[in-house]
Amino acid sequence: MLHGEDSCAAVEDGGEEDQHRPLILERIEKETGRTWRTVLSQPLRKHCSCTPEKAKSRILSFFPVLQWLPRYKLRDWILGDAMSGVIVGILLVPQSIAYSLLANQDPIYGLYTSFFASIIYALLGTSRHISVGIFGVLCLLIGQVVDRELALAGYLPESSLSGNDSSVPLAGNDSGVVGCDRSCYAIAVGATVTFTAGIYQVLMGLLQVGFVSVYLSDSLLSGFATGASLTILTSQIKYLLGLKIPRPQGWFTLFKTWYGLLRNLGNTNVCDLITSLVCLAVLIPTKELNDRFKSKLKAPIPFELFVVIIATLASHFGHFNAKYGSGVAGVIPTGFLPPQMPTWSLIPNVAVDAFSIAIVGFAITVSLSEMFAKKHGYTVDANQEMYAIGFCNILPSFFHCFTSSAALTKTLVKESTGCQTQLSGLISALLLLLVLLVIAPLFYSLQKCVLAAIIVVNLRGALRKFTDIPRMWRANRIDAFIWLITMATSALVNTELGLLVGVLMSAFCVLGRTQRVQVLELGRAMTREHYEDLASYKGLQTHPDVAIFRYEAPIYYANQNLFKKSLYGCVGLDPVKEKSRRVKFQNSKPHEEAAGVPTSNSDEKEAEAPAAVTLMMNTASRHLRRVVIDCSAVLFLDTAGVNALKEVRKDYGELGVAVELAQCNTSVLDTLEQGGYYSNQKGSDAGENRTIFFTIEDAVRHVQSPSTPNGDCDKS
């Protein structure tokens, strides 16, 4: 029995012993024994079962209009929605006509596209603010596909047509479209691409892959849009100059276009050139005024519409087409054309193009939806957005429309003019309906160079990104590099290829970051049990016989060799080279003894397996007994990573240096267990191998305890 001071000392020793024991936590047992039938049946049962409540929920989630319309605050919201709807509708009229030119379509089809897209998104979309309709980048992609298919089908290029005659018969047409002129076949191709892209988007929604938008970074999308804007700008110069040259196909279209422009510069139409310069001189400063005073203006002034009206009147009464050969919009019919099925035979030709168009359209729509939802404090459903934009393409494709998506400029106007719900989109559609039924034929004399000027002026925002390059470079060089590569590839090589190159470059940059990570040696803070990088902070202490290291990346097949190399370099001891040196020494020892060369005591000790390895670390000599690896920043391991850790432990163990892991997350622990890292090793204790350290301090105390082999502290 213990009394007095002896009992107190015993209690203190017991408390000290408990304090030095590693933290022990009991894992929650995961469900085991699940068969593949169970794994498949549970989600199927969850998604395929139908109850009245679930059916109602599905219908309401698929038609968000049924959720917000009954709760519509008429007095508070109607004025803002009406004003934004009217303003956006006014802007849509000239832009829809102008961007039809970019998509190589007649003006009426651009009006159709904006009309149907506004209605369908108002019914199916979850964003309250974005404006869905014609988007310049998608029009460029559609126009490239249309030009290619027109050439393959044998239609004459636009530059070979006389005047406004677009009804040149097709020679040897095997397109499957009977009695179809050039304009008819162009919209048939555009509608087929749109239908196919919409199918892709709906399928992605059904497969719940809305998350793919996170892989398209802001720098990637911005670089792609800027590169495409350069291509758009180049493609419109021929209209500004009144030149009739075909749009080049394939790669390096930017260079081909400029070559064609320079060759035909002498054929410039003076009337179109003067009109273009006047329109640019009016639109650029007035757009800048709108931007500068947007906080004071209740609504932006629709200068584009004023320019279109004045230019149309001037062209009509000045007979610019008849006198000077200026290209005009031509006949724009009123009403709606009868529905038409997509051209099924064209789908194999445009399937790949439609996929890239679907990805771009979805990514732009979701990114804008999330941006404005975050700004105004509500949420959007990425998968429902996929459905919405998909049906904005599928259904209108039967009514002579081409691809649509959200557009930033019109969305900004919509938000700034007081938009509260998608009722503003329905009001914009009503205004477009008025134009389609009554006003459209009045734009017959509108010059194409005026439409091109509107397109060029609307590229200002994307082209201004070039001024942000120094800022992007200072903020993050990797993002700036991705932006530059994506922009250059999209503009100089091929638009669709630019998107692919941007995605691949983003992936390689993420992988490259895991290749550049170096092992860091850690030191302990003087006042707390906290460890940080010795090279980054002052006043950190190291243990005399324990070295602590951290690796801030996953350990997997691509970087496991780099991890070992970095660790060996940081420790200052490559166990493989050290073992080779000792084997060489052991082999040379018998020869030296036979030759009568005396062996020193130090050489004999070195030949034996030492209890500690003396290293020069941080300019000081240390007797290294244990290595602790902080795995808190290791997100995951694969089989190669587990094998790398096994090799490190085995190689150092043969030199008498034990390796311990600390602060592993549960995923890493499970992978280590499954990979056999904790299985019994020859000559080692299973309990020791299975010790899990939740803190670095636990691992250090454990390896320094007297009960642990090689655990004596070096007092020297």
Side-chain angles (χ1 to χ4, degrees), residues 633-656:
V634 178
L635 298 180
F636 66 87
L637 298 171
D638 65 357
T639 305
V642 175
N643 291 334
L645 290 173
K646 285 182 181 179
E647 292 173 12
V648 168
R649 184 180 63 179
K650 175 178 175 294
D651 292 341
Y652 275 124
E654 292 176 354
L655 299 180

Side-chain angles (χ1 to χ4, degrees), residues 317-564:
F317 292 105
H319 305 288
F320 290 169
N321 176 243
K323 289 184 177 180
Y324 308 108
S326 181
V328 296
V331 177
I332 304 178
T334 56
F336 293 91
L337 298 175
Q340 181 176 329
M341 296 291 286
T343 307
W344 307 112
S345 59
L346 282 174
I347 291 180
N349 297 359
V350 301
V352 176
D353 305 283
F355 183 75
S356 61
I357 290 172
I359 293 294
V360 173
F362 163 69
I364 295 295
T365 302
V366 170
S367 61
L368 287 180
S369 299
E370 292 178 344
M371 180 175 70
F372 284 93
K374 184 178 180 180
K375 182 178 180 180
H376 293 276
Y378 62 94
T379 59
V380 293
D381 183 351
N383 284 309
Q384 181 60 29
E385 289 296 295
M386 191 87 85
Y387 289 130
I389 200 64
F391 282 107
C392 280
N393 288 322
I394 292 176
L395 298 179
S397 68
F398 294 93
F399 296 91
H400 306 83
C401 299
F402 49 91
T403 313
S404 60
S405 74
L408 177 59
T409 53
K410 292 186 283 291
T411 300
L412 290 172
V413 171
K414 194 173 183 180
E415 182 213 21
S416 64
T417 51
C419 170
Q420 298 293 331
T421 67
Q422 282 298 332
L423 183 64
S424 62
L426 297 177
I427 295 174
S428 299
L430 286 176
L431 194 62
L432 288 170
L433 181 63
L434 176 65
V435 173
L436 285 167
L437 295 179
V438 179
I439 304 175
L442 300 179
F443 294 109
Y444 173 90
S445 298
L446 178 61
Q447 292 170 270
K448 291 183 178 181
C449 63
V450 176
L451 301 177
I454 293 173
I455 293 174
V456 169
V457 170
N458 281 305
L459 296 176
R460 293 172 308 123
L463 297 177
R464 278 178 182 158
K465 290 291 183 180
F466 285 104
T467 62
D468 291 339
I469 293 177
R471 181 191 58 80
M472 289 190 291
W473 188 261
R474 289 191 299 268
N476 190 305
R477 292 189 177 185
I478 293 179
D479 285 346
F481 179 72
I482 292 172
W483 188 93
L484 289 169
I485 291 295
T486 307
M487 182 277 300
T489 309
S490 300
L492 304 178
V493 184
N494 181 271
T495 310
E496 296 93 335
L497 184 65
L499 182 65
L500 176 61
V501 169
V503 172
L504 293 177
M505 285 301 303
S506 299
F508 285 141
C509 286
V510 172
L511 292 175
R513 292 181 187 185
T514 66
Q515 310 294 306
R516 297 175 57 189
V517 175
Q518 298 295 318
V519 172
L520 307 174
E521 185 180 4
L522 307 183
R524 185 181 184 275
M526 299 174 66
T527 57
R528 295 174 184 249
E529 295 178 354
H530 184 74
Y531 291 81
E532 278 300 337
D533 177 24
L534 282 171
S536 300
Y537 296 94
K538 299 178 180 179
L540 300 179
Q541 297 176 334
T542 58
H543 296 277
D545 55 355
V546 180
I548 305 159
F549 302 96
R550 177 187 293 155
Y551 191 66
E552 298 179 338
I555 305 174
Y556 63 110
Y557 70 95
N559 70 345
Q560 47 102 7
N561 285 327
L562 296 171
F563 160 71
K564 290 192 293 182

Side-chain angles (χ1 to χ4, degrees), residues 235-256:
S235 68
Q236 296 307 297
I237 292 178
K238 68 176 185 180
Y239 296 107
L240 296 177
L241 301 177
L243 298 176
K244 296 181 179 180
I245 55 177
R247 180 184 294 182
Q249 296 295 318
W251 290 7
F252 307 106
T253 55
L254 192 78
F255 300 107
K256 295 177 182 177

Side-chain angles (χ1 to χ4, degrees), residues 108-189:
I108 188 66
Y109 302 133
L111 295 170
Y112 287 162
T113 301
S114 296
F115 171 75
F116 284 108
S118 299
I119 295 176
I120 295 171
Y121 188 82
L123 301 177
L124 301 180
T126 58
S127 173
R128 303 173 191 171
H129 294 89
I130 67 170
S131 175
V132 173
I134 290 179
F135 180 53
V137 175
L138 294 184
C139 289
L140 172 68
L141 298 176
I142 288 286
Q144 291 174 346
V145 178
V146 169
D147 278 346
R148 185 191 69 206
E149 294 303 318
L150 284 172
L152 291 175
Y155 285 94
L156 293 174
E158 189 178 12
S159 58
S160 301
L161 304 179
S162 58
N164 292 321
D165 182 17
S166 62
S167 58
V168 177
L170 180 65
N173 177 20
D174 58 353
S175 63
V177 183
V178 180
C180 194
D181 62 11
R182 190 179 191 279
S183 171
C184 168
Y185 192 68
I187 190 57
V189 174

Side-chain angles (χ1 to χ4, degrees), residues 38-318:
T38 307
V39 174
L40 291 177
S41 62
Q42 286 183 351
L44 286 175
R45 193 180 299 114
K46 177 182 177 181
H47 291 288
C48 297
S49 60
C50 185
T51 62
E53 294 80 10
K54 185 174 286 188
K56 180 181 177 181
S57 176
R58 289 289 175 85
I59 293 173
L60 290 177
S61 63
F62 191 76
F63 294 98
V65 64
L66 299 178
Q67 299 182 41
W68 60 262
L69 191 58
R71 299 195 297 266
Y72 191 83
K73 299 178 182 179
L74 188 64
R75 291 185 178 180
D76 298 333
W77 293 350
I78 187 62
L79 183 60
D81 282 340
M83 179 177 289
S84 65
V86 170
I87 294 298
V88 172
I90 291 172
L91 292 177
L92 279 173
V93 174
Q95 290 189 10
S96 298
I97 297 174
Y99 282 110
S100 300
L101 190 69
L102 186 59
N104 204 6
Q105 305 292 341
D106 288 348
I108 188 66
Y109 302 133
L111 295 170
Y112 287 162
T113 301
S114 296
F115 171 75
F116 284 108
S118 299
I119 295 176
I120 295 171
Y121 188 82
L123 301 177
L124 301 180
T126 58
S127 173
R128 303 173 191 171
H129 294 89
I130 67 170
S131 175
V132 173
I134 290 179
F135 180 53
V137 175
L138 294 184
C139 289
L140 172 68
L141 298 176
I142 288 286
Q144 291 174 346
V145 178
V146 169
D147 278 346
R148 185 191 69 206
E149 294 303 318
L150 284 172
L152 291 175
Y155 285 94
L156 293 174
E158 189 178 12
S159 58
S160 301
L161 304 179
S162 58
N164 292 321
D165 182 17
S166 62
S167 58
V168 177
L170 180 65
N173 177 20
D174 58 353
S175 63
V177 183
V178 180
C180 194
D181 62 11
R182 190 179 191 279
S183 171
C184 168
Y185 192 68
I187 190 57
V189 174
T192 304
V193 175
T194 301
F195 174 81
T196 311
I199 292 294
Y200 283 137
Q201 290 166 335
V202 170
L203 286 176
M204 287 189 282
L206 289 173
L207 296 174
Q208 303 286 300
V209 292
F211 65 88
V212 299
S213 62
V214 303
Y215 294 104
L216 302 176
S217 64
D218 291 340
S219 57
L220 186 154
L221 290 175
S222 175
F224 174 74
T226 305
S229 297
L230 284 176
T231 307
I232 294 171
L233 174 64
T234 303
S235 68
Q236 296 307 297
I237 292 178
K238 68 176 185 180
Y239 296 107
L240 296 177
L241 301 177
L243 298 176
K244 296 181 179 180
I245 55 177
R247 180 184 294 182
Q249 296 295 318
W251 290 7
F252 307 106
T253 55
L254 192 78
F255 300 107
K256 295 177 182 177
T257 303
W258 277 106
Y259 177 72
L261 289 171
L262 294 175
R263 281 189 61 188
N264 294 273
L265 201 57
N267 300 325
T268 299
N269 187 301
V270 178
C271 177
D272 283 342
L273 177 60
I274 295 174
T275 305
S276 301
L277 293 175
V278 171
C279 291
L280 291 174
V282 172
L283 287 173
I284 292 176
T286 53
K287 282 278 192 177
E288 292 296 329
L289 288 174
N290 265 340
D291 292 342
R292 179 169 296 184
F293 298 105
K294 63 182 178 181
S295 59
K296 298 180 180 180
L297 295 172
K298 292 185 178 180
I301 303 173
F303 289 107
E304 290 175 341
L305 185 63
F306 298 157
V307 168
V308 165
I309 293 173
I310 295 172
T312 303
L313 293 174
S315 176
H316 175 73
F317 292 105

